[in-house]
């Protein structure tokens, strides 16, 4: 799905992801649904905040693998120069930290995450994977497994 690189576009992407997850059998108000929605929201917000180019959209792709019941979230933007970096939060007394925690949340909630250059053009794709730990969720209506491709992992990546 393609969205405008605006706050409104990021909000719409999150809402569409919520609906799709529910349609795949990951019900609203469940822990996996809330976790995946937060991951989508953070990655989309980062694309809008840090990689916005006037007139260029960002893309959201959700895929579900039926085997281990893994949902993969991918957000692609058109800025390749600014790559995601996992930074520790600001220490108390260093002033208010109004941003910088999004990737920490993604790293803490997802089973794995990383980024790779955008295929066929300028930009990058930031991705996160989450394995559903409940029964009866995901895969029933979702697309098949996603190919891995070239991936750059960050030092803080969990497996």
């Amino acid at each position: 799905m393609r969205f405008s690189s605006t706050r409104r576009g990021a909000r719409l992407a999150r809402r569409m992801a919520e609906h799709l997850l529910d349609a795949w059998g990951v019900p609203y108000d469940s822990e996996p649904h809330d976790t995946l929605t937060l991951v989508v929201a953070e990655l989309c917000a980062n694309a809008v905040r840090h990689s916005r180019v006037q007139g260029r959209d960002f893309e959201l792709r959700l895929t579900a693998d039926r085997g281990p019941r893994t949902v993969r979230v991918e957000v692609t933007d058109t800025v390749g120069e600014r790559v995601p970096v996992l930074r520790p939060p600001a220490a108390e007394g260093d002033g208010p930290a109004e941003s910088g925690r999004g990737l920490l949340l993604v790293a803490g909630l997802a089973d794995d995450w990383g980024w790779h250059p955008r295929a066929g053009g300028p930009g990058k794709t930031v991705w996160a994977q989450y394995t559903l730990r409940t029964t009866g969720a995901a895969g029933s209506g979702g697309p098949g497994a996603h190919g891995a491709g070239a991936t750059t992992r960050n030092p803080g990546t969990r497996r």
Side-chain angles (χ1 to χ4, degrees), residues 57-120:
D57 299 336
F58 73 91
E59 296 175 12
L60 169 65
R61 182 176 183 184
L62 295 175
T63 55
D65 181 3
R66 294 177 190 203
R69 298 179 170 316
T70 299
V71 175
R72 183 174 173 106
V73 177
E74 296 180 352
V75 175
T76 302
D77 62 53
T78 57
V79 176
E81 302 83 36
R82 297 186 77 183
V83 298
V85 177
L86 189 63
R87 293 187 178 107
E92 285 190 43
D94 288 346
E98 295 181 15
S99 66
R101 291 194 171 101
L103 282 179
L104 287 173
L105 285 171
V106 170
L109 295 171
D111 296 312
D112 199 7
W113 76 279
W115 69 277
H116 57 82
R118 180 181 180 206

